[in-house]
Amino acid sequence: MITDSQGDEYTKKLFNNLFFCLQPIIREYEGVKTNEYEILLREKKNQNFPKDEFEYLSQDNRRNEMLMAWSYSKIKRILELNSQWILWVNISPQQLTFKSTYLFLENLKKSRKNIKIEITEQLPNNRVVNKTKTIKCIADIKKLGYELALDDIGSGCNTLPFVLENIMQIKRVKLSLVPLRLLSQEATLLLIKFWKLVADEAKLEFVVEGIDSDSLNLLIASRGVKLQQGFLWQDQFKFFD
């Protein structure tokens, strides 16, 4: 049987393989220098999202507490380097069930002019997590003074009904093109048009992620989408070990 202290030591070792990447959020045609970034958790060996490690770390409050403490120290160091950056921090629905997540947010409150929160689409593995509870948690974060986004709309938890039920709490919705690669260009553009209409009617900001070429950038921009993310701007990525 693994003791708590042994588990903590294993968890600490995991952090040696993790780092934060800052991916810029580009505002097209506004002539504004980028100062807005999404913080992405990555593993050092291949720079991918550490799916298994994140699932392990976010399974219970103790491990999530260690993840939040590690994240807090990294975020504070990033803001010490540039106090003008706006950082979008990802939180999963599973993490919304833990007190350690709200302690993390409380500790960051004095920096909240620089911190905004993205609720990810990942389905929770905790059966007590339901839609009603998640909606309440999102409202609670809004009460702390944070602006919020729903990430990867149309996927996982962030379905259209869920977006509509959170309209009053959120500032931004984000659509990723990465899982839509098998769609035709016509179908993809229709989907973008639909979500942009939903966002415009609710007066929400709309971001399209997964932009990896100049042609795609111009095509999406021609549809009125000013906020974009993707590997097209990888020369502006920032890495923090």
Side-chain angles (χ1 to χ4, degrees), residues 122-136:
Q122 293 156 322
L123 292 167
N125 53 24
N126 188 332
R127 293 183 180 179
V128 304
V129 181
N130 56 50
K131 184 172 69 173
T132 301
K133 183 177 179 63
T134 302
I135 290 172
K136 180 184 181 303

Side-chain angles (χ1 to χ4, degrees), residues 82-228:
N82 193 320
S83 61
Q84 301 304 309
W85 285 344
I86 304 298
L87 306 179
W88 286 85
V89 179
N90 287 305
I91 294 178
S92 73
Q94 180 72 30
Q95 290 177 293
L96 293 178
T97 66
F98 300 132
K99 290 182 180 179
S100 52
T101 298
Y102 297 93
L103 178 61
F104 165 76
L105 292 171
E106 284 284 354
N107 289 337
L108 275 178
K109 272 180 67 174
K110 50 184 168 290
S111 301
R112 67 180 178 271
K113 71 181 180 66
N114 301 93
I115 302 294
K116 303 178 189 295
I117 304 301
E118 289 192 21
I119 305 300
T120 67
E121 80 288 355
Q122 293 156 322
L123 292 167
N125 53 24
N126 188 332
R127 293 183 180 179
V128 304
V129 181
N130 56 50
K131 184 172 69 173
T132 301
K133 183 177 179 63
T134 302
I135 290 172
K136 180 184 181 303
C137 291
I138 290 173
D140 288 342
I141 295 175
K142 177 74 175 294
K143 288 176 184 176
L144 290 174
Y146 290 100
E147 293 181 338
L148 294 109
L150 293 182
D151 198 16
D152 286 0
I153 49 176
S155 302
C157 289
N158 293 341
T159 61
L160 175 59
F162 188 75
V163 171
L164 297 177
E165 287 173 294
N166 283 282
I167 284 290
M168 301 304 294
Q169 309 298 338
I170 59 177
K171 176 184 178 67
R172 173 178 291 185
V173 289
K174 305 180 72 177
L175 176 69
S176 175
L177 300 185
V178 175
L180 307 178
R181 297 302 189 196
L182 294 180
L183 284 181
S184 67
Q185 183 179 97
E186 181 182 8
T188 299
L189 291 175
L190 283 172
L191 188 60
I192 290 171
K193 181 179 180 180
F194 166 75
W195 278 113
K196 186 177 185 302
L197 181 60
V198 171
D200 288 348
E201 287 184 347
K203 295 182 172 54
L204 303 177
E205 295 179 345
F206 179 51
V207 184
V208 173
E209 299 180 286
I211 307 299
D212 56 9
S213 68
D214 287 320
S215 59
L216 184 58
N217 163 227
L218 293 173
L219 181 64
I220 301 304
S222 72
R223 268 53 181 184
V225 178
K226 293 185 177 181
L227 291 166
Q228 300 184 17

